Amino acid sequence: MWCLQSARLIYSLRGHTNCVSDFSLSPDNTKLASGSLDGTIRIWDLKTGSPYSVLQHGSGVYTVEFHPFFSEGLPLLLSTGNDGLARIWRLTDTKPALMTFYCKSVGRDQIRCAAFSLGGTKFFVGGTDGLLRAYKVPDLKSSEFVE
């Protein structure tokens, strides 16, 4: 993390053991999510530079993105990986909950990109099978979230 005024390094965010493939800044500018080919997602507290949470994606991570209304009561993070799955994480003060979406046509397909809609009601994923898929964002109280 660099200070734009002084051009000095404030702190480095360390912890991944393989290439960092994507990162996302929370809309309230308090957290940064980083995804890596080591299969982890790290959530960083930007005020202190310390880790807030480490999520086990289960395969190499290609995309991480905070929900557009993350700071307004929708603590969701979207991630995709080389296993062809999209995951939505419900980040709370307790253990993060997870909902998984199967997004591939055949076994070898990977999901390479994803984004929330501007209104945050849908998310889209694209992958190596040449398809773009749209999904509805689940309700936070959905019983489909696994803790």
Side-chain angles (χ1 to χ4, degrees), residues 21-43:
S21 52
D22 196 19
F23 62 89
S24 178
L25 182 64
S26 66
D28 62 359
N29 294 322
T30 62
K31 293 185 178 51
L32 181 83
S34 57
S36 171
L37 296 182
D38 67 7
T40 65
I41 299 164
R42 293 181 177 271
I43 313 295

Side-chain angles (χ1 to χ4, degrees), residues 14-128:
R14 300 179 191 272
H16 289 296
T17 59
N18 203 332
C19 171
V20 174
S21 52
D22 196 19
F23 62 89
S24 178
L25 182 64
S26 66
D28 62 359
N29 294 322
T30 62
K31 293 185 178 51
L32 181 83
S34 57
S36 171
L37 296 182
D38 67 7
T40 65
I41 299 164
R42 293 181 177 271
I43 313 295
W44 306 93
D45 181 328
L46 291 180
K47 292 179 183 173
T48 64
S50 59
Y52 173 78
S53 183
V54 178
L55 308 174
Q56 298 296 325
H57 190 276
S59 70
V61 178
Y62 286 132
T63 308
V64 291
E65 183 172 338
F66 282 102
H67 189 277
F69 301 116
F70 178 82
S71 57
E72 299 171 28
L74 287 170
L76 300 176
L77 179 75
L78 172 63
S79 67
T80 65
N82 61 14
D83 57 1
L85 300 175
R87 293 172 171 85
I88 290 190
W89 304 85
R90 185 179 64 204
L91 305 175
T92 59
D93 293 333
T94 59
K95 184 179 177 184
L98 169 68
M99 188 178 287
T100 302
F101 298 83
Y102 191 79
C103 304
K104 58 185 179 178
S105 301
V106 296
R108 67 183 179 278
D109 291 332
Q110 300 174 357
I111 303 303
R112 296 292 181 106
C113 57
F116 282 107
S117 63
L118 187 59
T121 59
K122 295 182 179 120
F123 70 95
F124 304 87
V125 298
T128 57

